[in-house]
Amino acid sequence: ILPRYVIQRIRDGAQTIAESMAEVNVIFIDLVGFTELSHRLAPNHVVEVLGDLFREFDVLCERHGVTKIKTIGDGYMAATGVPEPSFHTAENAIEYCFDALQRVSALAARTELPIRVRIGVATGAVISGVLSLKRPVYDLWGETVNLASRLESSGAPDRIHVAETTYWRTKHAYEFEARGEITAKGIGPLQTYFVVGRRAAQARVS
């Protein structure tokens, strides 16, 4: 549940733990039309569907070297490049999102429910750590986190909506469609992109 360095810092007596990370890819995935879905299903069925969906995402985290951060209602937050810095993490994030969309589609077909998601990805600096040791939870903070959340909420169903920083780090491997300039609450005007698919060389490798 907690990264090794956090556990060691707790054992050393730290009361708050915070690390600055320069290159992190933050992923937000949110269920589209959750309110409508919750009206159609019994509460225990809603929890069952969310549980199935999030378990699929958890499995993909292990496959792609992604760190699950937390779930927030019907939303799922994950990241690459934390808790340890690593190379090619932006591509890992995109591949994770591709697989997540496939798992959502398969679950929708299996349950015959209109399950769709929006995905936002942003790349940049974050603060990571644990603020309270009473119920310690590893989390991320900063503008990159806020941007990924805004990209998710302003995105489109079944599409991966990325920041310009993510685009520049991955444009060699993927095809993109310019979204045009959007205004993100609390951040301002931004150029963003939708991921269209893998470039030919990348597709052959995959």
Side-chain angles (χ1 to χ4, degrees), residues 110-127:
R110 188 166 67 248
T111 60
E112 299 183 343
L113 292 171
I115 302 171
R116 305 175 75 187
V117 296
R118 290 186 305 266
I119 301 179
V121 183
T123 304
V126 303
I127 302 298

Side-chain angles (χ1 to χ4, degrees), residues 144-161:
T144 303
V145 176
N146 296 336
L147 176 55
S149 178
R150 300 288 186 269
L151 290 168
E152 175 277 307
S153 61
S154 63
D158 307 324
R159 305 204 72 180
I160 305 166
H161 190 201

